[in-house]
Amino acid sequence: MEKFPDVYRYDYISEQLRVQIIHIIHDAIDVHDNQHDLDHFQNIHDTLCREYGKFSLQEHSNGYINDVLTFMLKTDNIEQVIDVV
């Protein structure tokens, strides 16, 4: 039986895919600066900080929504990207 090389990469998530995920998140939850959205993102932010042993996801906070999405966009750790999703 002939083996074919695996065409999928499991150690990399492109910036393009991360941006697409952010667009999907915006569409799925209709992100605005209302209290309901802020509460969800604060919960996500606080949960990730607790898991990673951090006080904040960004050095200079720009609000929970921006902090979480910027963290997902910039982290080099693939598992952390998946955690956000």
Side-chain angles (χ1 to χ4, degrees):
M1 178 183 254
E2 187 176 340
K3 283 191 166 189
F4 295 98
D6 195 350
V7 295
Y8 297 106
R9 290 192 59 188
Y10 301 100
D11 59 347
Y12 177 75
I13 298 178
S14 70
E15 181 177 349
Q16 179 183 4
L17 178 57
R18 294 174 196 226
V19 170
Q20 289 172 320
I21 291 168
I22 290 172
H23 284 296
I24 292 167
I25 290 170
H26 276 269
D27 292 344
I29 61 174
D30 194 26
V31 173
H32 297 298
D33 281 333
N34 67 49
Q35 192 58 45
H36 186 69
D37 295 334
L38 293 174
D39 289 345
H40 285 300
F41 274 90
Q42 181 178 2
N43 187 25
I44 293 166
H45 176 274
D46 292 350
T47 300
L48 293 172
C49 285
R50 192 175 306 110
E51 289 296 317
Y52 304 149
K54 297 180 167 208
F55 288 115
S56 181
L57 295 177
Q58 300 298 316
E59 189 171 323
H60 302 287
S61 180
N62 216 5
Y64 293 116
I65 295 171
N66 287 330
D67 287 357
V68 170
L69 298 180
T70 300
F71 173 77
M72 186 191 73
L73 190 60
K74 293 187 176 190
T75 185
D76 293 328
N77 187 317
I78 302 309
E79 290 180 16
Q80 290 178 340
V81 174
I82 293 170
D83 286 346
V84 172
V85 174

